[in-house]
Amino acid sequence: MAATVRAKTPAKRPSRRAQDPAPIPTAGGAVAFEPPRLTTSTAPAERVPLFYINDREYSVTLKPGVNVGLKYLHLSRQVGEAQAMDYLLEKLLGAEGYQALMDYDDLTQEQFQGICEIASKLTVGALELPKE
């Protein structure tokens, strides 16, 4: 029987930048922490054009909320990519913008694919975790 030689890989060290405070043990072994307090922003979101139909601009939020990305991923897993994209396009464009896209008779497969890719990248990009 031949011996298997494993190469040693260096252990990852935790980042020394902005580490979370150490959890504080409490009586009974539970860990105390300060839950985040979430508030709703009233600032208008920056918008960018996603496509034009006959020189009319249809725009989307440049940085969709993380919740939109989470729902998109959830729908992709639960009901499939097509239904998730349906949700995403309507959410980003609004009902009027999405209706205009659906009513545009000259939309090609390549154009639609490009619109979907941009919408997906804008949304899933909001889910990226910070790099340490």
Side-chain angles (χ1 to χ4, degrees), residues 51 53 86 90 95-105 107:
F51 61 88
I53 296 177
D86 175 69
E90 186 168 13
E96 182 183 338
Y98 191 40
Q99 188 65 50
L101 186 62
M102 290 188 295
D103 290 343
Y104 182 61
D105 292 332
L107 183 64

Side-chain angles (χ1 to χ4, degrees), residues 78-94:
Q78 295 295 317
V79 296
E81 183 63 30
Q83 289 86 350
M85 186 55 66
D86 175 69
Y87 156 78
L88 183 61
L89 289 174
E90 186 168 13
K91 183 71 174 177
L92 295 181
L93 289 165

Side-chain angles (χ1 to χ4, degrees), residues 7-31:
K8 274 192 155 182
T9 56
K12 287 190 174 183
R13 285 187 275 170
S15 172
R16 293 183 186 194
R17 293 182 283 153
Q19 293 182 357
D20 291 332
I24 303 166
T26 61
V31 175

Side-chain angles (χ1 to χ4, degrees), residues 4 8 10 16-18 21 23 44 57-58 67-68 70 86 89 100-101 105 109 123 130-131:
T4 306
K8 274 192 155 182
R16 293 183 186 194
R17 293 182 283 153
E57 178 182 292
Y58 292 92
N67 63 318
V68 175
L70 289 173
D86 175 69
L89 289 174
L101 186 62
D105 292 332
Q109 183 65 34
T123 304
K131 294 183 175 127

